[in-house]
Amino acid sequence: MKKLSVAVAVCAVLASSYASAEVRINGFASIVGGKSLDSDSTLYGYDDDISFKNESKFALQLSADLHEKLTATAQIIARGEDDFDATFEWAYVTYEYSDELQFSAGKMRVPFYKYSDFLDVGYAYRWVRPPKSVYGIPFSTYEGVSVVYSSQLGDWDSTLQGFYGAFDGDIDVFGTELPAELNNLGGINWSLSYDWFSARAAYIVADTSISSEDSGLIGLVSVLSDSGLTNTANDLITEEDKTSFFGVGFSIDYENFLFDAEYTQFEVEDSILPEQSQYYASVGYRIDSVIVHFTYEDNDDKHDSSRFNTIESIPTLNSAVNGALEGLRAQSNVYTIGARYDFHPSAAFKIDFSRFEDDITDTETDVVAVGVDLVF
């Protein structure tokens, strides 16, 4: 909690520094408890002991209007999974050139998904957590610049965003935290909405490097290099590899009927990381202040068949390389049924039951989670 106190103090200092500016402080919080219903399986960080720490969080957002169309925004968040150590999630300035065009620079959210801007604000969506099969890229922010152009295309509201920057930090690579750098990280996303329908598409590229020293591959890479198989060794190392992300989705909010769907593809070329494709479809129905919903998720991570059996002349190494590639294969489905109750203008109670089916190991894991999401 010491870091949280420091972060709050920083907010106070910033607020006092801009005594002549209009300063607004908002916040949000999620208090979530959950447990796995299987004694020997974990899911979303839950085992068979109930935990109120894993997905809980508390955040403050400070916005300062510096006048002359310039604003500064900082968001500080403390996550239970990090022992509530507070960090700056966002810190950027925005210049509103016109009603249609604005420029931003600093640390911001990467616009991967429909709910990217509200990824941590549980009150903004109906689930306890966004569908993890899709919302699973292990980093969410970048440091750089962004340009947003909003306009009307006939009766449609249009928002076009372009951004460029970089990411440097630790990411979770199949359960292991590894240092990573993404340079030349940039892309575009386009959103259209009309009445009860909205749609969105995004395309993002980067040059990705991930340290292999702690990945368990360093021994195999050394053996391949010593055997003169440099190209094959390089294929197991992620260093300045071309990376691409594509996402598309749409939403319907018609009377009491709700529907959301998103599909994404993620690929790091010439890397040990498999090509990933995933989607979800979610239907909901609103009954006064209650929403009941059902969501299906599908995840499929695999290497193209052409990457296997590339060194058949050395059976032992060929088997080792095939094993490394196949070891990252993943295929799973998730079924979630849940409800949201808006019992207060600024608070919602949620309950979700999720069943994860691993098609590789032919196992199932069930998790139930309840939570209260707040905005203030």
Side-chain angles (χ1 to χ4, degrees):
M1 296 301 291
K2 180 179 179 181
K3 291 186 178 181
L4 179 58
S5 300
V6 172
V8 173
V10 170
C11 283
V13 171
L14 289 175
S16 63
S17 298
Y18 292 110
S20 62
E22 297 180 11
V23 179
R24 184 175 66 253
I25 298 178
N26 303 106
F28 60 88
S30 295
I31 299 92
V32 181
K35 72 184 299 288
S36 169
L37 302 183
D38 303 282
S39 60
D40 56 351
S41 300
T42 61
L43 182 64
Y44 306 139
Y46 294 110
D47 55 25
D48 59 347
D49 291 324
I50 189 168
S51 170
F52 281 89
K53 187 175 181 181
N54 184 43
E55 295 186 293
S56 295
K57 52 185 174 283
F58 181 90
L60 294 174
Q61 181 166 303
L62 174 70
S63 300
D65 183 353
L66 307 179
H67 306 301
E68 301 298 329
K69 301 183 178 181
L70 188 65
T71 61
T73 303
Q75 185 183 99
I76 302 162
I77 188 166
R79 304 178 191 274
E81 62 182 355
D82 298 325
D83 292 325
F84 292 103
D85 289 339
T87 59
F88 276 90
E89 189 78 1
W90 295 351
Y92 62 91
V93 295
T94 298
Y95 178 69
E96 187 176 346
Y97 181 80
S98 66
D99 291 340
E100 296 81 19
L101 185 64
Q102 67 178 36
F103 302 90
S104 300
K107 184 178 182 181
M108 295 169 284
R109 185 80 74 190
V110 183
F112 287 119
Y113 319 108
K114 170 182 171 60
Y115 291 102
S116 282
D117 285 345
F118 317 105
L119 194 59
D120 293 313
V121 188
Y123 188 83
Y125 40 80
R126 56 184 175 270
W127 312 279
V128 169
R129 72 193 66 82
K132 283 287 191 178
S133 297
V134 170
Y135 285 70
I137 290 181
F139 74 99
S140 61
T141 60
Y142 75 102
E143 296 177 7
V145 296
S146 168
V147 180
V148 177
Y149 180 70
S150 303
S151 62
Q152 291 289 131
L153 296 179
D155 293 328
W156 292 77
D157 295 323
S158 171
T159 301
L160 183 66
Q161 178 185 14
F163 73 96
Y164 181 83
F167 169 84
D168 185 358
D170 291 342
I171 64 173
D172 185 304
V173 181
F174 297 98
T176 303
E177 290 287 332
L178 297 175
E181 291 184 9
L182 282 84
N183 296 311
N184 298 316
L185 172 64
I188 60 173
N189 76 88
W190 186 24
S191 300
L192 289 169
S193 62
Y194 174 69
D195 198 9
W196 46 264
F197 179 82
S198 63
R200 182 183 184 278
Y203 182 71
I204 297 169
V205 297
D207 297 326
T208 301
S209 298
I210 301 176
S211 173
S212 60
E213 293 183 3
D214 300 318
S215 67
L217 291 174
I218 192 67
L220 179 57
V221 169
S222 297
V223 172
L224 290 170
S225 299
D226 293 341
S227 302
L229 300 169
T230 305
N231 290 336
T232 304
N234 289 338
D235 283 347
L236 298 182
I237 300 174
T238 305
E239 185 172 354
E240 292 294 319
D241 289 336
K242 298 296 181 183
T243 303
S244 62
F245 171 91
F246 170 75
V248 63
F250 69 94
S251 298
I252 294 171
D253 188 343
Y254 181 73
E255 296 183 347
N256 293 322
F257 176 76
L258 306 170
F259 185 82
D260 288 274
E262 289 186 79
Y263 171 82
T264 60
Q265 282 187 343
F266 181 74
E267 181 180 10
V268 183
E269 297 180 7
D270 301 322
S271 165
I272 186 63
L273 300 178
E275 179 180 341
Q276 303 175 42
S277 62
Q278 45 275 315
Y279 69 87
Y280 77 85
S282 179
V283 61
Y285 191 78
R286 187 184 294 111
I287 308 170
D288 296 326
S289 57
V290 175
I291 296 175
V292 292
H293 59 86
F294 173 78
T295 302
Y296 172 76
E297 306 172 44
D298 181 271
N299 178 68
D300 191 8
D301 302 344
K302 62 183 179 181
H303 285 284
D304 187 89
S305 59
S306 64
R307 299 205 64 193
F308 292 86
N309 300 317
T310 55
I311 48 175
E312 292 182 303
S313 58
I314 309 178
T316 302
L317 290 180
N318 189 64
S319 177
V321 172
N322 286 349
L325 297 175
E326 186 62 27
L328 298 180
R329 174 88 166 94
Q331 187 171 1
S332 61
N333 308 295
V334 181
Y335 304 85
T336 298
I337 184 170
R340 167 181 173 145
Y341 171 44
D342 291 300
F343 66 91
H344 184 276
S346 299
F349 171 81
K350 299 178 184 177
I351 180 170
D352 281 4
F353 169 82
S354 299
R355 169 164 292 178
F356 175 88
E357 297 181 350
D358 190 323
D359 295 338
I360 303 298
T361 61
D362 195 26
T363 58
E364 295 180 352
T365 304
D366 296 333
V367 160
V368 63
V370 296
V372 174
D373 293 315
L374 313 167
V375 291
F376 51 88

